[in-house]
Amino acid sequence: MKRTTSILLAAAIAAVPFTAEAAAKKKKRPRRPQTVGPAINENKATPISRIKAAPGFKVELVYSVPGVQQGSWVNLGLDNKNRIIACDQFGGLYRFPAPAPGKKIDPKSVKKIPVDIRAVNGILWAFDALYVAVNDYERKIDSGLYRITDSDGDDELDKVEKLRPMFARGDHGVHALLLSPDKKSIYMITGNNTEPAEAQKSRVPRVWGEDHLIARMPDGRGHNRDRLAPAGIIYKISPDGKQWEIISSGYRNIFDGGFNKDGELFTYDADMEYDFNTPWYRPTRVNHVTSGSMYGWRNGTGKRPEFYPDNLPASINIGPGSPTGVTFGYGAKFPAKYQNALYILDWSWGKVYAVHLEPEGSSYTATKEEFLIGSPLPVTDAIIHPKDGAMYVSIGGRRVQSGLYRVTYTGKESTKPAPYKYNKSKLVSLRKKLETFHQKNPKAIGQAWPNLAHSDRFVRWAARIAVMHQPLKQWTNKALKEKDHAKRVEALLGLAKMGGIDPFHREDTDSPVNNGLARQIVNSLLEVDYAKLPTAQKHTMVRAYQIAFNRFGRPSRGTVEKIVHQLNPHFPAPTFEENWLLCETLAYLSAPDTAYKTMKLIAAAPTQEEQMEYARSIRFLKQGWTPKLRRQYFEWFLKAANYRGGASFSKFIEFIRRDAVASLSRSEQTKLKDILDKKPVRKSPLEMLAEAMVGRSYVKEWKLDEISKIAAVGLKNRSYERGRKMFAAAGCFACHRFANEGGMTGPDLTGSGGRYNTHDLLDQIINPSKEINEQFVPIEIITLDGKKTTGIVVNLNGDGVTVNTDMFDPNQRVTLDRKKVKSIEPSKVSPMPAGLLNMLQKEEILDLLAYILSGGNAENEMFTK
């Protein structure tokens, strides 16, 4: 073995605390039960010794919920007298006063509300009633919206009205209820397993479709295979429950949301953990819910990436997790920045984040901070109590042991009510003005059209949605003949959606498929000079083609030749995002050199996500292959068999290969029989990491002060491409998320430039155990029989605690019985190997630093223009 490989393996093995014993005892990950067993008997919530809060904050366990009697709590709310209401996921409602400072909740004060209601996931006191959203797994009552009132004025809720039954399945059902900022209506949040409710209005044009140019691969484990657009929906509802309006759609499993003082709504959406390390994986994320917004969840490989123009981006990507409660800190007796923070709860990884939002354009950007961390700590909801200014946090769900915690500030900073800096940006005013036209309005086109190519993405979105709400005859010719091509492509994207019907579209529309319109749209796009468009509009143009082909059908041969002639010279492009769209489109059109160009991209791509996306796009391609290219393609599958990802990762690789084999002629299958029959050689993650470093040699042991001084003056005229390659060569993508690629066992590094200066970032890389990110601190679990398991808690179910035991393999997990656990302690050793810079040259390190600090932005001033 070469010295380089030996050094890499030695450094990694010495630094990684995950035990071989735990890895050897890997068990098949249990399926989520379709039926839920009896409540657990343990009566002890996670002790505060296992919970760490932000500096200056104190956590108290004020109530350990008796599981047999009161179940497992998933939602908190307040009634008209500021008494706390809690709900059992599979049982009833409980009400009790907040305890006095320093005191625990008196068990006798916790009273069950004597009404026939159960499985409540959303609580809201408004309009002199308690509104609840029911999501009943066991279907003992209808899921949906209910109103509970006190009919005789004795301060006891006693009357239940079903305002709207709804059909939902499992966790991804009917969730939170929120009072609108004007206090005149109710917002309901629903997950993607809730059937869309009949709504009188919709700010989202109801022509939602799947819009996949290359056939979607459903999840290999069967998850949500039958769930199609519009996915999770947010509704606005009148107090009597009769008038419903769709505000936003395209979510996976949003559980809760919160309005800031500007009246803007934010929610925290789920990831799909089966998709870890695939190009279509999207981490949990905070979304700004604007009028008519759509966030692009589709099942399997169909999730729209953030750069797709018919989809909006997150305010911040958080990472792996399982989103539950959301609340703002308004009214808390906390320091100013925590009063204005958005708190989001992650059930499976046991965290409460404080998300600090900052206005950016007409929307927001954000930074995140781990506010509470515990292991295990299945947090479900949080509220700020107006009386004592404390935060109350519940844990529970799926019949795990439940409890209620109080979080107070005991530090030295002032807790006086903090001023709020209202967002008075002209761009916000413009967006909101455009949003008033998300309905039929004769003034809409005149107001919206000038903003179709606006540099602000949310303004651009609001403008296009306003146009799409207007009758087609009012704007079709305007779109087809628009002289500003940046505006034209945006309008044509909307026209393709409104003028055609997606094959999977499930609603009737007023606009039947019109082949004449299809020709007009394509001919209008053919007039656009692709090279002169800004990057965002290049994405929009190619996506408009894709939607037109999907909804109207494949163009004629002559038209295909013209489109290929227009797009093919620009493929490959400088960025993965542009290549993603061009590769899909040119493969669909069977452009003659797509196979050759794509195989070159696969060979050069530094990440498995990028390679996988290209391989997926050409799996049906039949033209342009040579025997050598075909062999290279199927050799890639032998390599990809060793890539790691979520539970469905290997199935997706299998599906891509299956379709690729099916696209071969019989003659080709015969000629390639040896490679098609060849079995992959299985390699360990460390062997794969070492293989990525082949050809590199030991340079030196870089010291912090030395390289920090060099970097202080050296981050100019750097190479973006080499920086990205070094990020892969140093093994960073194996564990870290960066610019929507990479692993999930380490922190997302995309925002490093906002968190670290150059010296501190180098310190983190060179001395990884000096200060370990709390979110990714491995834990050591010792069971009563003395056996030790080291890893990260990633899931819970009843008494089961699921631990990821291999930082290089997110699907390598063991499940332990919590009742048999003796101790859980944090590890003092970072899972990140030391010495990763020792095989990089000085210039390579500088390029790597520039790449990380830029957030992966090739336009950053640190790079050569």
Side-chain angles (χ1 to χ4, degrees), residues 637-642 657 677-683:
F637 288 104
L638 297 175
K639 177 183 177 181
N642 282 294
R657 187 182 185 278
D677 290 344
K678 191 174 182 180
K679 302 299 181 185
V681 177
R682 298 294 178 181
K683 299 175 183 178

Side-chain angles (χ1 to χ4, degrees), residues 32 89 119-122 133-137 139 142-145 166-177 188-197 223-224 227 231-235 244 251-256 267 269-270 323 398:
R32 184 176 302 170
Q89 187 177 18
V120 169
N121 273 209
V134 168
N135 188 61
D136 192 0
Y137 274 42
R139 301 183 187 177
D142 287 336
S143 294
L145 178 64
M166 302 174 75
F167 180 79
R169 300 182 307 178
D171 282 337
H172 300 204
V174 183
H175 294 319
L177 299 174
M188 173 185 276
I189 286 174
T190 65
N192 62 356
N193 281 339
T194 309
E195 289 296 324
H223 180 75
N224 275 333
R227 302 308 302 163
I233 295 175
I234 297 176
Y235 299 92
W244 289 55
Y251 302 94
R252 181 173 181 258
N253 189 28
I254 43 177
F255 188 83
D256 202 353
T267 191
D269 200 10
R398 295 193 194 163

Side-chain angles (χ1 to χ4, degrees), residues 605-624:
T607 70
Q608 67 183 47
E609 288 94 339
E610 190 169 347
Q611 295 173 32
M612 194 174 183
E613 176 54 33
Y614 299 142
R616 181 191 73 87
S617 290
I618 61 173
R619 71 191 197 275
F620 296 119
L621 182 64
K622 295 183 179 182
Q623 287 76 31

Side-chain angles (χ1 to χ4, degrees), residues 57-60 62 76 84 326-334 338-339 341-345 352-354 371-372 379 381-386 388-394 404-409:
F57 287 88
K58 176 183 178 182
V59 182
E60 303 166 85
V62 294
L76 300 174
I84 298 174
V326 174
T327 191
F328 276 94
Y330 305 138
K333 291 184 178 179
F334 292 172
Y338 293 104
Q339 292 180 40
L342 172 70
Y343 295 90
I344 59 174
L345 280 63
V352 177
Y353 289 101
F371 181 71
L372 286 183
V379 287
D381 205 3
I383 58 172
I384 305 298
H385 200 281
D388 59 12
M391 174 186 284
Y392 287 86
V393 179
S394 58
L404 188 67
Y405 300 83
R406 176 171 52 205
V407 183
T408 53
Y409 183 70

Side-chain angles (χ1 to χ4, degrees), residues 511-742:
S511 306
V513 172
N514 184 325
N515 289 329
L517 179 60
R519 286 192 295 272
Q520 289 177 300
I521 291 173
V522 170
N523 287 337
S524 183
L525 288 169
L526 280 168
E527 294 173 358
V528 175
D529 187 339
Y530 181 89
K532 292 183 179 180
L533 290 175
T535 298
Q537 277 69 41
K538 287 179 180 177
H539 296 168
T540 302
M541 175 181 173
V542 181
R543 187 67 180 137
Y545 268 130
Q546 291 189 348
I547 293 167
F549 301 158
N550 179 268
R551 298 200 175 205
F552 294 105
R554 188 180 179 89
S556 67
R557 179 180 298 180
T559 302
V560 166
E561 290 176 355
K562 292 177 182 178
I563 299 169
V564 170
H565 180 75
Q566 179 189 39
L567 299 180
N568 200 41
H570 306 288
F571 176 64
T575 67
F576 176 33
E577 292 79 10
E578 197 172 340
N579 280 329
W580 179 319
L581 284 163
L582 288 170
C583 185
E584 284 183 321
T585 307
L586 292 169
Y588 171 83
L589 296 173
S590 298
D593 55 358
T594 301
Y596 170 73
K597 290 181 175 181
T598 303
M599 290 311 303
K600 285 191 67 175
L601 284 172
I602 290 175
T607 70
Q608 67 183 47
E609 288 94 339
E610 190 169 347
Q611 295 173 32
M612 194 174 183
E613 176 54 33
Y614 299 142
R616 181 191 73 87
S617 290
I618 61 173
R619 71 191 197 275
F620 296 119
L621 182 64
K622 295 183 179 182
Q623 287 76 31
W625 292 100
T626 65
K628 182 179 178 180
L629 288 174
R630 278 293 195 193
R631 188 165 291 273
Q632 289 174 353
Y633 187 35
F634 287 102
E635 284 173 348
W636 177 83
F637 288 104
L638 297 175
K639 177 183 177 181
N642 282 294
Y643 289 160
R644 265 63 177 187
S648 293
F649 184 88
S650 62
K651 295 297 293 183
F652 283 125
I653 295 290
E654 177 187 323
F655 290 166
I656 296 172
R657 187 182 185 278
R658 177 200 63 194
D659 290 342
V661 171
S663 72
L664 296 172
S665 66
R666 288 187 179 182
S667 174
E668 287 175 314
Q669 290 189 29
T670 300
K671 292 176 181 178
L672 293 169
K673 187 176 188 304
D674 62 323
I675 193 73
L676 295 178
D677 290 344
K678 191 174 182 180
K679 302 299 181 185
V681 177
R682 298 294 178 181
K683 299 175 183 178
S684 72
L686 289 179
E687 287 175 321
M688 290 291 292
L689 183 58
E691 188 176 279
M693 301 293 283
V694 167
R696 307 195 66 82
S697 60
Y698 178 78
V699 176
K700 63 179 293 185
E701 183 180 351
W702 290 101
K703 300 296 185 181
L704 175 61
D705 289 343
E706 174 190 11
I707 195 64
S708 180
K709 287 180 181 178
I710 295 171
V713 295
L715 295 183
K716 297 178 181 178
N717 299 318
R718 303 317 317 165
S719 167
Y720 172 84
E721 284 301 321
R722 188 164 62 182
R724 188 165 186 261
K725 288 179 180 178
M726 290 308 103
F727 195 84
C732 305
F733 276 122
C735 303
H736 294 283
R737 194 82 181 158
F738 192 85
N740 293 324
E741 294 181 277

